[in-house]
Amino acid sequence: LNAFLISYTVLQVPGAVAGQWLGPRAALAIIGLVTAAAACATALVPAGHAGALVFAQLLVARCLLGVAQAALVPVATGAIQVWYPTGRW
């Protein structure tokens, strides 16, 4: 859990900047693909390994999930702000 939390917290602002640079559609698509890959990697880790190798693989998978999820809230908020402007309700 801490690997996710640390990578999520540290990369939230850089993820938001990258999301602004890429645009919300591309950024949300990339976030979805990386999240799916990290979730699959987490599920596939214990297949036949033991000990420190499992720990290292889970650490990498959880860090990757944190990296992917870090930009989700800022990019989604920016997309809502652009797609549904306040003055045009």
Side-chain angles (χ1 to χ4, degrees):
L1 183 62
N2 284 336
F4 171 81
L5 183 63
I6 291 168
S7 61
Y8 180 90
T9 303
V10 169
L11 293 173
Q12 198 164 23
V13 172
V17 172
Q20 281 186 331
W21 183 70
L22 288 171
R25 290 176 196 224
L28 289 172
I30 292 169
I31 289 168
L33 291 173
V34 175
T35 298
C40 289
T42 302
L44 295 175
V45 164
H49 302 318
L53 183 59
V54 170
F55 178 75
Q57 290 173 333
L58 281 173
L59 186 68
V60 168
R62 296 299 292 175
C63 281
L64 183 61
L65 188 63
V67 168
Q69 290 293 301
L72 181 62
V73 172
V75 170
T77 304
I80 290 169
Q81 181 182 7
V82 170
W83 293 341
Y84 302 107
T86 309
R88 294 178 44 194
W89 285 26

